[in-house]
Amino acid sequence: YENRLLNGNRFSNHCNLQTNWSCTISHNASSASAALNPFGIAFKKTTYTWTNALCQNDNDGDGLTNSIALGDPNCVWNKNRTPHRIVNITHLGI
């Protein structure tokens, strides 16, 4: 589902170069079969769509909205647009 999430293919790897970050953004481990984390649960509830509500939430509880963390501060991204920011993306699974 990484193409349904802004910057889904641009997550920095802060811990382990072997980790599959497109999975850990929404799962508790680097496998797509691992349990979903809070962001993954919310993303699933939207039928894997970037919605305004998902954008404005802070699913990992770090004080930053998902929009700020993932590079869409104005909650306007859709899969046909380039995100506002494509560097320094915060990983919602950490």
Side-chain angles (χ1 to χ4, degrees), residues 1-3 14 18-20 23 28 32 39 41 44-45 57 61 64-65 71-73 76 85 90 92-93:
Y1 296 100
E2 72 180 35
N3 66 338
H14 301 287
Q18 301 305 313
T19 301
N20 180 345
C23 286
N28 288 323
F39 177 76
I41 292 167
K44 183 177 181 180
K45 286 180 182 177
N57 284 340
L64 296 175
T65 62
D72 184 21
V76 296
R85 189 178 75 246
T90 301
L92 297 175

Side-chain angles (χ1 to χ4, degrees), residues 50 54-57 65-75 85:
W50 185 245
L54 183 62
C55 183
Q56 293 179 11
N57 284 340
T65 62
N66 298 336
S67 66
I68 298 298
L70 295 178
D72 184 21
N74 299 314
C75 295
R85 189 178 75 246

Side-chain angles (χ1 to χ4, degrees), residues 18-56:
Q18 301 305 313
T19 301
N20 180 345
W21 287 99
S22 65
C23 286
T24 60
I25 190 69
S26 58
H27 293 268
N28 288 323
S30 62
S31 167
S33 63
L36 294 173
N37 64 27
F39 177 76
I41 292 167
F43 192 43
K44 183 177 181 180
K45 286 180 182 177
T46 69
T47 318
Y48 305 104
T49 302
W50 185 245
T51 65
N52 195 48
L54 183 62
C55 183
Q56 293 179 11

